[in-house]
Amino acid sequence: MSGRPEVLFPLFAELTTLDGVGPKIAKVLENMHVLRPRDLLYTLPHGVIDRRRRDTIDGAELPATLTVEVEIGTHRPASGRGRAYRIDVRDSKLAFQLVFFHARGDYLKRQLPEGARRLVSGKVEYFDGIPQMVHPDHILALDEEGELPEFEPVYPLTAGITRKTMHKAVVSALARAVDLPEWIDPLQHAKEGWPSWHVALVQAHAPRSAADLAPTAPARARLAYDEFLAHQLTLALARETLRKAKGRETHGTGDLQRKVLESLGFAPTGAQVRAVQEIAADMGRGHRMNRLLQGDVGAGKTLVAFLALLIAVEAGGQGVMMAPTEILARQHLEGLQPMAASAGVRVEILTGRDKGAERRAKLAALASGEIQVLVGTHAVFQKDVVFHDLRLAVVDEQHRFGVRQRLELGRKGQAPDVLVMTATPIPRSLALAQYGDMDVSVLDEKPPGRKPIKTALVSTGRMEEVVGHLRRAIAEGRQAYWVCPLVDESENTDLAAAEDRFRHLRAALGEGHVGLVHGQMPPADKDAAMADFQAGRTQVLVATTVIEVGVNVPNATIMVIERAEIFGLAQLHQLRGRVGRGDQDSTCLLMYQAPLSEGGEKRLTTLRDTEDGFRISEVDLEMRGAGDLIGTAQSGLPRFRIADMESQAGLMAVAQSDARKLLNDDPALETDRGKAARLLLWLTGQDEAIRLISVG
């Protein structure tokens, strides 16, 4: 499959080849992420102005945008600075005024000579009882009437580009779009009653009413579906590529897993057992596993991941567990070590901190197979890291780990199986968008003994009550987190907030009881403060959000979150999940500063009323939108121009099953519909996918 098909060349030409687009306008369009004529086709209007002609403005409900033919009367030049230039005009029934500010009289006299007839279109409103049209949008001679569309689409604009220029450029781009063969499944197409691609574009750019602007309008729904389909085809191709890549059959004996389970003292949940079975089945097949393990806070993902790593070790191979940060990697290590000890398995850590002889010794032990499970950060990607027999890679919190990195990891070792863990419950629509190439295991049960966490809202005015509550809890031997807000972008203010709170609590609760940890501390100090809290040497840990993920202190039963209203929902849910890890009752106090905004109140009450991470993530998605939910910059989420993941989640699900079915029936995309689908991939710029077909 060589380069882009010729039929698409005009849509990928330079912008300056479009009518009215010079180098300067092209530069402005680039700021709107419009780089090619194709991008203009996918920049749809967000409004429409009714410019149908009327005989008269008489009887119209003002203010309104109206289009009428008028006879030009007297010109009344501005009588002083800042005054308006007025022209009396008359339609078939009524006299009114055209009004211009900062106008050049000679220009207006040429444009609107007395006694001439003109078509004017613009907003008409009353001033001092006289209807006026201030700065008409359009002034046309009667023989130019055809230039004014009955319905004028309103496009998103940016400084430096006018409505007129934008409209002209879009019309010019539309003229290059030819009809393309249909890539949508014929049954689906008929069922939805969608227009063809070309007709859909023309209709979407010529709305006649608000209904035509809705995502449900057939033309728009079809174009949105195209984007989803292209994206899901790319993911499905990546999935097939990963699956076709020769994997290795890895069969565990169950011996090491049994030792670990016996050492636990409690039985795994049904969900954990099911997930381990799904993973074991995948690992036992000849193709590569590419599975997502999705679990809420405290659902016991670490145990599932470790049992999966043991399958690799039982088969004589090695496993690696990757975390995004060093502090998390160390935590994984601490969590895994007791389990590894009970199974007699050697676990080591490799991060950017390892240098010199120590690093060389670890690399040698890894290459010889002595290290059976490696925990690490992205440092495990480095060239000199060689495994003896890597069978399984577990990737934690892969928000920073998109499809491309998943393919990259496959080049390490002999095509290891990949298990991705996420602690952020993701609504189905987003999971489809981000991980459509993966099979999913969900941990939807809490391990036994996890008690519900009591959550309450408290205003900051009751600070001293909260401190009193802490004093009593400490006297009973319990521990607490106190999370300080991220006040603004600058870390210094966060630091100041945390240090002030630290001093205040130390004064109230006693010197040795309170520890502090924040983002700007040297790593060693941070680790020491954490260690003191974990060992129970300090009872209260004041922290900025560094404790968000992975910290495990079973004796900590109180979580105070100050200014909770400025945190995101998912973040609050993650923070709350730091308590309730032992067998005692736990509390989470959400301290807010009154008055709460509507959004702030909705976030805090949602959190108070439910502990179900999936439900919380649905509300979060509703409130914030997809890009924000996982931080668009590093989300690996596609940027759709038309499709909207929140409101059109249903279409995304259809696109996923359609894409998988198409590739199942036609893996090389060689049938008529397959060839059409290739055109769609070129059209939507999914070059990654095209490479995958040609490789496959």
Side-chain angles (χ1 to χ4, degrees):
M1 175 155 187
S2 49
R4 181 181 293 123
E6 220 164 296
V7 61
L8 298 178
F9 285 0
L11 298 181
F12 285 84
E14 295 296 323
L15 284 175
T16 46
T17 57
L18 294 171
D19 294 348
V21 180
K24 209 160 136 199
I25 297 288
K27 201 85 203 115
V28 173
L29 284 169
E30 277 174 30
N31 296 338
M32 295 170 60
H33 303 294
V34 172
L35 309 173
R36 301 276 177 220
R38 177 210 68 150
D39 301 333
L40 267 182
L41 296 182
Y42 284 101
T43 304
L44 298 187
H46 55 62
V48 56
I49 300 168
D50 184 343
R51 299 240 185 240
R52 284 178 294 186
R53 271 188 66 166
R54 303 170 57 100
D55 284 340
T56 171
I57 66 170
D58 192 21
E61 270 192 46
L62 302 187
T65 297
L66 304 172
T67 306
V68 288
E69 184 183 322
V70 294
E71 184 177 331
I72 310 297
T74 314
H75 282 238
R76 306 169 186 274
S79 55
R81 274 185 74 92
R83 293 285 178 85
Y85 188 115
R86 297 167 188 277
I87 303 175
D88 294 331
V89 297
R90 185 175 184 92
D91 64 23
S92 64
K93 284 194 181 164
L94 216 63
F96 62 100
Q97 288 184 335
L98 303 182
V99 179
F100 299 88
F101 290 96
H102 316 298
R104 298 203 319 279
D106 51 343
Y107 169 75
L108 290 174
K109 286 203 166 78
R110 278 201 311 277
Q111 277 290 84
L112 297 158
E114 230 170 285
R117 300 189 74 78
R118 292 284 185 267
L119 191 67
V120 293
S121 183
K123 190 175 185 187
V124 181
E125 25 195 341
Y126 283 114
F127 286 99
D128 300 331
I130 303 169
Q132 301 186 345
M133 185 184 286
V134 179
H135 286 280
D137 301 326
H138 299 273
I139 300 174
L140 300 169
L142 300 188
D143 58 358
E144 299 172 323
E145 187 182 345
E147 288 180 24
L148 190 65
E150 287 200 331
F151 295 91
E152 183 183 9
V154 181
Y155 289 95
L157 296 177
T158 181
I161 189 163
T162 62
R163 270 211 306 243
K164 204 167 170 183
T165 309
M166 185 72 171
H167 191 246
K168 197 169 174 180
V170 169
V171 169
S172 170
L174 276 170
R176 304 183 171 193
V178 295
D179 216 356
L180 298 174
E182 188 52 76
W183 46 73
I184 294 180
D185 175 72
L187 291 171
Q188 160 90 1
H189 198 247
K191 185 183 123 218
E192 298 287 354
W194 283 335
S196 71
W197 176 74
H198 187 254
V199 171
L201 276 177
V202 173
Q203 287 178 356
H205 282 283
R208 297 179 72 95
S209 68
D212 294 339
L213 299 167
T216 46
R220 287 196 173 222
R222 182 236 144 104
L223 294 172
Y225 185 76
D226 289 346
E227 284 193 296
F228 283 155
L229 182 61
H231 175 62
Q232 288 296 338
L233 271 171
T234 303
L235 289 176
L237 280 161
R239 176 173 183 253
E240 288 307 311
T241 307
L242 285 164
R243 297 180 81 142
K244 276 200 305 244
K246 276 307 288 161
R248 306 175 52 206
E249 292 188 22
T250 299
H251 299 283
T253 58
D255 295 348
L256 299 176
Q257 298 174 67
R258 203 163 29 254
K259 285 181 183 162
V260 169
L261 290 172
E262 281 164 8
S263 74
L264 287 180
F266 60 83
T269 64
Q272 285 174 314
V273 172
R274 187 179 64 235
V276 173
Q277 285 167 346
E278 289 168 348
I279 293 164
D282 275 2
M283 291 175 72
R285 294 196 186 101
H287 57 62
R288 303 243 316 270
M289 169 168 79
N290 191 30
R291 186 169 279 282
L292 177 70
L293 178 62
Q294 208 184 353
D296 202 350
V297 180
K301 287 180 298 295
T302 312
L303 175 60
V304 172
F306 190 59
L307 292 173
L309 288 164
L310 288 181
I311 296 174
V313 177
E314 288 171 354
Q318 290 165 298
V320 63
M321 188 179 220
M322 284 175 52
T325 63
E326 184 141 340
I327 197 160
L328 273 172
R330 297 208 172 277
Q331 245 173 341
H332 277 319
L333 183 70
E334 281 162 33
L336 298 184
Q337 261 163 346
M339 293 196 280
S342 64
V345 168
R346 180 169 170 196
V347 179
E348 286 282 356
I349 187 166
L350 183 69
T351 69
R353 255 198 238 180
D354 292 300
K355 300 274 186 288
E358 193 184 347
R359 181 178 165 92
R360 282 196 299 277
K362 280 187 185 175
L363 293 182
L366 204 58
S368 70
E370 288 164 64
I371 296 177
Q372 293 159 296
V373 174
L374 181 69
V375 177
T377 55
H378 271 71
V380 306
F381 269 144
Q382 285 160 354
K383 290 274 182 290
D384 58 348
V385 181
V386 180
F387 290 85
H388 178 250
D389 178 10
L390 179 61
R391 300 288 187 106
L392 174 67
V394 178
V395 183
D396 179 25
E397 276 304 336
Q398 65 338 303
H399 291 339
R400 308 176 188 72
F401 203 79
V403 174
R404 188 160 294 143
Q405 285 87 351
R406 299 205 274 275
L407 289 165
E408 168 77 25
L409 191 62
R411 299 178 188 128
K412 266 270 175 246
Q414 301 80 5
D417 287 319
V418 179
L419 179 67
V420 175
M421 298 200 298
T422 169
T424 318
I426 306 171
R428 182 165 153 70
S429 56
L430 276 192
L432 284 175
Q434 210 180 359
Y435 311 115
D437 61 320
M438 309 188 82
D439 300 302
V440 183
S441 294
V442 180
L443 295 180
D444 47 12
E445 298 172 53
K446 288 254 160 88
R450 296 279 307 215
K451 296 196 167 175
I453 300 168
K454 192 167 149 266
T455 303
L457 310 189
V458 190
S459 83
T460 40
R462 293 169 56 194
M463 178 78 71
E464 289 319 308
E465 269 179 63
V466 174
V467 175
H469 177 71
L470 276 191
R471 195 178 287 116
R472 289 189 295 281
I474 291 173
E476 293 166 14
R478 310 221 310 246
Q479 286 175 282
Y481 294 100
W482 188 298
V483 177
C484 291
L486 292 162
V487 187
D488 66 16
E489 292 305 304
S490 114
E491 290 189 347
N492 301 339
T493 49
D494 301 339
L495 187 58
E499 286 179 333
D500 285 351
R501 184 58 61 229
F502 172 62
R503 282 194 290 272
H504 169 197
L505 290 175
R506 220 168 47 169
L509 304 170
E511 285 288 324
H513 289 298
V514 188
L516 171 67
V517 56
H518 57 75
Q520 285 173 299
M521 291 166 98
D525 296 2
K526 208 184 292 186
D527 292 349
M530 288 293 218
D532 281 345
F533 186 63
Q534 275 171 321
R537 290 188 287 273
T538 51
Q539 282 71 48
V540 178
L541 184 63
V542 176
T544 52
T545 49
V546 280
I547 57 156
E548 205 176 323
V549 257
V551 190
N552 198 8
V553 182
N555 190 43
T557 58
I558 299 170
M559 168 65 71
V560 181
I561 303 174
E562 200 174 331
R563 295 294 309 275
E565 76 278 6
I566 59 182
F567 288 90
L569 247 179
Q571 208 178 15
L572 288 169
H573 179 60
Q574 291 286 339
L575 285 168
R576 171 170 65 183
R578 301 293 114 224
V579 296
R581 292 176 166 250
D583 45 13
Q584 295 167 298
D585 290 328
S586 293
T587 329
C588 174
L589 299 178
L590 303 172
M591 292 185 80
Y592 64 90
Q593 194 168 312
L596 274 177
S597 68
E598 198 181 325
E601 185 170 0
K602 182 166 183 190
R603 283 198 298 277
L604 298 187
T605 50
T606 300
L607 206 74
R608 180 189 65 200
D609 299 340
T610 178
E611 270 193 74
D612 175 353
F614 288 93
R615 170 76 200 112
I616 287 169
S617 74
E618 295 284 350
V619 175
D620 206 7
L621 179 62
E622 257 163 56
M623 290 181 68
R624 286 204 294 166
D628 284 351
L629 200 58
I630 44 191
T632 317
Q634 31 86 336
S635 64
L637 262 192
R639 281 203 168 88
F640 295 122
R641 285 180 176 272
I642 295 173
D644 171 6
M645 277 183 293
E646 288 96 295
S647 65
Q648 298 177 305
L651 281 183
M652 176 73 96
V654 177
Q656 185 192 45
S657 57
D658 192 11
R660 288 188 174 185
K661 183 178 182 310
L662 174 60
L663 282 174
N664 190 42
D665 302 345
D666 178 15
L669 297 181
E670 283 165 346
T671 60
D672 286 349
R673 188 180 162 212
K675 286 182 186 146
R678 289 178 178 228
L679 273 177
L680 170 67
L681 291 171
W682 279 115
L683 183 66
T684 47
Q686 300 282 355
D687 302 7
E688 186 86 352
I690 289 151
R691 252 206 4 259
L692 291 174
I693 304 175
S694 39
V695 172

